[in-house]
């Protein structure tokens, strides 16, 4: 509920940070996907990563409709590690504008969430 007392900001309070994030990126080969996944896990910016077999992506790029085969990399991390993970993926990626999308995990098993937190280190 918003606080409308004099001098108080008329905004809704922010929700608590999600316990975990899943972060997705894509690339154009299985080997590049493995390197992105392994680099993020080695840097402890993600606890684990899953690579999905090729998907077909259809997108607009530089005024044209493109179709490409890509591999999705889904990384499990914490909100505290997100900025460093995004910077790491951007630096390691060979796309001019890589897809890097974070989705909050609304609920997770307590043991799994604890494992992700234990395996990641925010810089």
């Amino acid at each position: 509920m918003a606080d409308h007392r004099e001098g108080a900001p008329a905004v809704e309070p922010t929700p608590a940070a999600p316990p975990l994030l899943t972060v997705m990126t894509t690339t154009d080969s299985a080997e590049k996907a493995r390197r992105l996944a392994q680099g993020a896990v080695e840097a402890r910016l993600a606890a684990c990563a899953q690579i999905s077999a090729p998907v077909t992506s259809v997108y607009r790029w530089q005024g044209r409709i493109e179709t490409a085969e890509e591999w999705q990399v889904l990384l499990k991390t914490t909100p505290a590690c997100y900025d460093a993970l995004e910077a790491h993926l951007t630096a390691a990626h060979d796309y001019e504008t890589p897809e890097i999308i974070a989705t909050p995990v609304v609920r997770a098993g307590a043991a799994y969430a604890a494992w992700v937190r234990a395996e990641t280190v925010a810089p």
Side-chain angles (χ1 to χ4, degrees):
M1 180 152 231
D3 187 348
H4 296 290
R5 292 175 291 165
E6 189 169 322
V11 296
E12 294 296 318
T14 58
L20 304 175
L21 296 174
T22 58
V23 177
M24 186 181 67
T25 191
T26 56
T27 191
D28 60 2
S29 79
E31 181 54 35
K32 289 178 187 177
R34 276 191 290 277
R35 284 197 307 263
L36 289 170
Q38 186 166 346
V41 173
E42 284 178 354
R44 301 200 66 163
L45 300 174
C48 68
Q50 296 167 319
I51 300 167
S52 296
V55 297
T56 301
S57 296
V58 179
Y59 53 94
R60 184 178 305 277
W61 181 250
Q62 298 179 342
R64 295 178 42 206
I65 302 296
E66 302 284 343
T67 301
E69 187 174 78
E70 294 185 300
W71 281 254
Q72 292 179 330
V73 182
L74 187 64
L75 303 119
K76 300 354 174 305
T77 193
T78 63
C81 289
Y82 177 79
D83 289 338
L85 177 58
E86 180 183 343
H88 176 85
L89 291 172
T90 299
H93 216 293
D94 65 343
Y95 283 14
E96 183 178 331
T97 306
E99 173 184 22
I100 302 171
I101 298 173
T103 304
V105 174
V106 177
R107 295 190 61 171
Y112 182 79
W115 174 77
V116 171
R117 284 192 297 275
E119 294 301 321
T120 56
V121 178

